[in-house]
Amino acid sequence: MDVSSSARKVSLSGIITNSIKSSSASNAPRSIIVRKSSNGFGFNVRGQVFEGGQVKAIHGTLYGPLQHVSAVSNRGAAERAGLCVGDKILEVNGVDVEGASHKQVVDLIKHSDDELHLVVIASVGEETHSDIHSGEESSGSSNDYSERRSLAITIPDYSILEVNDEKFYVFNIHIAGRHLCSRRYREFASLHQQLKQEFPDFPFSSLPKKWPFKLSDQQLDARRRGLEQYLDKICSVRVVGDCDLVQEFLSADVYERDSVSIDVEIKIMLPDRSVSVLKIKRFSTADKVYEAIVEKIDLPSESAPYFYLFEILDYTFERKLRPTEYPHQIYVQNCCTANTTCLCLRKFVFSPIVENQILKYPLARDYLYREAIDQLSRSQNSTADQRSALKTFDEIEYIKYAQTFTDIYNTITFPLCPCSSRKDNGYVIVSLNSTRLRLHACSDDGQLEADQIADFEWNTIGRYCIDEQYFIFEYKRSTMKTVKPVKLQSPFGQFMYDCFECILRELQLTNNNKSDE
């Protein structure tokens, strides 16, 4: 997302202080500052689930797919700032969000401080599709329906719910085997009518017939199959599947709970490579999901504090989830990029002394052993004789042997990031374990620079904090008169902070135990 691209389209500056806009002002992008109140920012966002999509014209200017404001709280912060239902979001805190997914825009908003800076443009009913290559607006009857794709979208089952004394069936929509959302038949019918107006020349299939009486199980299953075929057809045609109507239909709003509260299914990979399937509420936090997986696998309560949920980002890096994140959202957003699952259970412990305290619990010991094998297998320093000897070790012997590799074992290495200590904010790769914090200089493509390493002992580290996109820590060596700050610009600042907290807490605990002896 290019920060500068949408700046060319913004002709107004300043803050809109009320929600009444003149017709001339409504045709141009507006800059808005929403100041958070005790009830948050006071608006909901909806839009496409995935990145990319078809270009459209709004007031004669071409834009990529945009998330839009679906609701504004009465007398809330957003309403006071001038945000209106239907406003389409061009920028969030200076970041261009044309073509961004719902999750990307929501994350930018959630990571705002007390002020949220938006650039928005009012929606219009006469928006038309446009060919991105020709740059010319096309009429509503000249859409290209020839571009097809496969999204592996299915409706494998249905559920019966009771809300406000009303019982009804919902059909559970999955993408690539992951529960995306649940919708009632009448929501399908509403979507169908709107799509026929949006694409009058497209040969839509008919929906399963509405039945005024109670449906039998056989009739319900026939309806399920019919809705699945209908959804598969419209999503397989890119121009239809990417339109706002379909994307809204498939998306769940972060700021308010779904009108239909239903259990969803997620898969979590365990350290032994097995996969555990959980049924949770869609908006269960990471803490709630972790409690559920701990109970399901019967992880001893004494060892539970030393494990947590992580997101698998690539082969060498996994990110610890924040306690308030929604694992199901992460799970669904990665449906096209991850294999079995993008969520895993991993240990979150650095000190060998602390780690050894949970070796007496068989399941925890097995998990630590499995992770030790993974960590050492990534190292290219072991010889063939050493690898052969390892095969004779039992679990505890293997773990204690792995602990001797102090520069590898229980070490977390972060993706490269700009660092204030380098000239022109050059890049470094941050790694840390219980013995040291390391910044290794590298090129912008991740190639390490020889002999350009700065190691910090933990007793030299002072204050540390997160400031927007920066993780900042201070240090003072014995040869220094004053403390010096280091700023790391990383999307994983919260994870860095959590690692600092964990390592320093473990070191304090270890020192206290030594002083008591």
Side-chain angles (χ1 to χ4, degrees):
M1 292 178 284
D2 181 12
V3 175
S4 63
S5 62
S6 66
R8 296 190 297 271
K9 303 167 187 169
V10 180
S11 59
L12 296 183
S13 60
I15 305 170
I16 305 298
T17 57
N18 59 72
S19 59
I20 302 175
K21 305 184 291 293
S22 68
S23 60
S24 60
S26 66
N27 290 340
R30 324 188 307 277
S31 294
I32 289 180
I33 298 177
V34 185
R35 293 181 173 86
K36 184 184 291 184
S37 68
S38 58
N39 295 321
F41 291 120
F43 70 99
N44 301 335
V45 174
R46 303 202 78 167
Q48 65 178 19
V49 177
F50 303 108
E51 287 186 78
Q54 190 181 27
V55 173
K56 290 185 178 181
I58 303 177
H59 305 300
T61 302
L62 296 178
Y63 295 95
L66 300 170
Q67 305 290 316
H68 70 273
V69 177
S70 60
V72 176
S73 297
N74 187 33
R75 299 181 182 177
E79 185 181 72
R80 291 194 298 271
L83 199 63
C84 300
V85 172
D87 281 345
K88 293 184 177 290
I89 301 174
L90 299 172
E91 286 186 12
V92 177
N93 293 330
V95 179
D96 181 359
V97 293
E98 283 189 53
S101 69
H102 183 255
K103 180 178 183 298
Q104 290 170 328
V105 174
V106 166
D107 285 346
L108 287 171
I109 295 172
K110 287 171 64 178
H111 293 152
S112 300
D113 292 327
D114 291 335
E115 286 191 353
L116 172 64
H117 294 252
L118 299 174
V119 176
V120 301
I121 187 169
S123 181
V124 290
E126 65 271 18
E127 292 171 20
T128 55
H129 295 282
S130 174
D131 185 340
I132 190 171
H133 300 295
S134 69
E136 297 177 356
E137 295 181 25
S138 62
S139 67
S141 61
S142 61
N143 293 300
D144 179 10
Y145 301 124
S146 63
E147 188 176 357
R148 303 268 173 164
R149 63 178 174 191
S150 175
L151 281 183
I153 192 161
T154 59
I155 303 178
D157 53 23
Y158 53 86
S159 307
I160 186 169
L161 296 181
E162 183 173 356
V163 177
N164 297 328
D165 297 327
E166 179 190 7
K167 286 187 177 181
F168 52 86
Y169 289 96
V170 292
F171 296 88
N172 303 319
I173 301 171
H174 291 235
I175 289 185
R178 303 181 187 189
H179 190 169
L180 185 63
C181 60
S182 300
R183 296 288 179 255
R184 301 177 67 170
Y185 174 83
R186 69 184 186 189
E187 292 177 287
F188 279 90
S190 175
L191 173 69
H192 181 57
Q193 294 302 320
Q194 294 178 73
L195 286 175
K196 287 199 296 184
Q197 295 177 12
E198 179 81 5
F199 305 98
D201 57 334
F202 183 76
F204 288 100
S205 302
S206 299
L207 284 178
K209 298 295 184 183
K210 188 173 182 179
W211 187 248
F213 308 109
K214 183 178 179 179
L215 298 175
S216 66
D217 289 344
Q218 185 178 5
Q219 290 171 318
L220 277 169
D221 195 59
R223 173 173 286 185
R224 176 196 65 79
R225 292 196 306 270
L227 293 175
E228 180 179 83
Q229 292 169 3
Y230 175 84
L231 201 56
D232 179 64
K233 180 173 181 179
I234 64 174
C235 288
S236 66
V237 180
R238 183 175 292 276
V239 68
V240 179
D242 284 345
C243 75
D244 289 346
L245 291 171
V246 174
Q247 292 296 326
E248 287 179 37
F249 182 81
L250 296 176
S251 67
D253 204 307
V254 168
Y255 296 101
E256 63 179 7
R257 298 298 185 260
D258 277 342
S259 59
V260 175
S261 177
I262 189 169
D263 288 344
V264 293
E265 196 175 83
I266 64 172
K267 297 178 181 179
I268 299 175
M269 182 177 291
L270 304 178
D272 61 3
R273 301 289 181 179
S274 65
V275 174
S276 182
V277 180
L278 282 182
K279 281 204 168 184
I280 61 169
K281 295 298 181 185
R282 182 192 307 280
F283 288 98
S284 295
T285 62
D287 269 353
K288 291 293 186 182
V289 175
Y290 181 61
E291 291 174 7
I293 191 68
V294 165
E295 181 179 358
K296 181 173 183 179
I297 65 178
D298 201 20
L299 186 66
S301 59
E302 296 84 354
S303 55
Y306 305 104
F307 293 85
Y308 205 68
L309 298 176
F310 284 70
E311 178 187 8
I312 303 170
L313 295 175
D314 60 38
Y315 174 67
T316 59
F317 185 66
E318 295 159 350
R319 176 188 70 89
K320 179 177 177 288
L321 299 191
R322 297 187 300 276
T324 55
E325 283 188 271
Y326 301 122
H328 180 257
Q329 286 186 337
I330 298 170
Y331 181 72
V332 170
Q333 288 295 331
N334 283 274
C335 67
C336 294
T337 57
N339 292 323
T340 304
T341 180
C342 62
L343 300 174
C344 63
L345 180 74
R346 292 289 183 264
K347 67 178 179 181
F348 190 55
V349 60
F350 294 89
S351 168
I353 296 174
V354 175
E355 186 176 62
N356 290 340
Q357 295 175 358
I358 59 175
L359 291 179
K360 58 186 176 183
Y361 304 106
L363 183 59
R365 181 173 66 245
D366 178 61
Y367 286 171
L368 295 177
Y369 170 65
R370 303 280 185 163
E371 291 201 48
I373 293 175
D374 287 344
Q375 291 185 30
L376 291 193
S377 67
R378 296 173 186 171
S379 169
Q380 300 179 356
N381 297 328
S382 58
T383 65
D385 290 340
Q386 287 175 324
R387 290 192 293 271
S388 178
L390 289 177
K391 296 178 181 179
T392 65
F393 288 175
D394 62 23
E395 290 180 341
I396 294 180
E397 289 174 330
Y398 194 102
I399 292 169
K400 290 186 176 294
Y401 175 75
Q403 291 171 350
T404 64
F405 290 81
T406 56
D407 226 30
I408 300 171
Y409 189 67
N410 285 353
T411 296
I412 292 179
T413 301
F414 289 83
L416 59 87
C417 64
C419 175
S420 64
S421 296
R422 295 204 64 198
K423 183 179 179 181
D424 298 325
N425 278 344
Y427 288 90
V428 298
I429 290 179
V430 180
S431 65
L432 42 75
N433 55 39
S434 62
T435 63
R436 53 80 181 156
L437 164 68
R438 172 171 295 171
L439 306 183
H440 197 151
C442 66
S443 61
D444 58 5
D445 61 355
Q447 293 297 316
L448 297 176
E449 299 179 9
D451 302 323
Q452 296 292 312
I453 299 175
D455 281 351
F456 305 84
E457 295 183 357
W458 288 107
N459 59 11
T460 68
I461 302 297
R463 295 184 301 173
Y464 51 92
C465 65
I466 302 170
D467 183 9
E468 295 182 348
Q469 74 268 41
Y470 293 98
F471 175 73
I472 305 171
F473 70 90
E474 295 179 345
Y475 72 98
K476 183 182 178 183
R477 304 187 196 275
S478 58
T479 57
M480 298 168 56
K481 293 183 179 181
T482 59
V483 298
K484 183 177 180 180
V486 176
K487 296 177 67 175
L488 302 167
Q489 186 177 356
S490 170
F492 306 109
Q494 182 63 55
F495 187 22
M496 291 182 183
Y497 183 92
D498 291 344
C499 290
F500 271 55
E501 288 276 282
C502 183
I503 291 172
L504 293 172
R505 182 174 61 248
E506 290 178 355
L507 290 175
Q508 183 66 44
L509 178 64
T510 303
N511 292 335
N512 290 343
N513 290 340
K514 287 181 179 179
S515 62
D516 292 339
E517 294 176 355

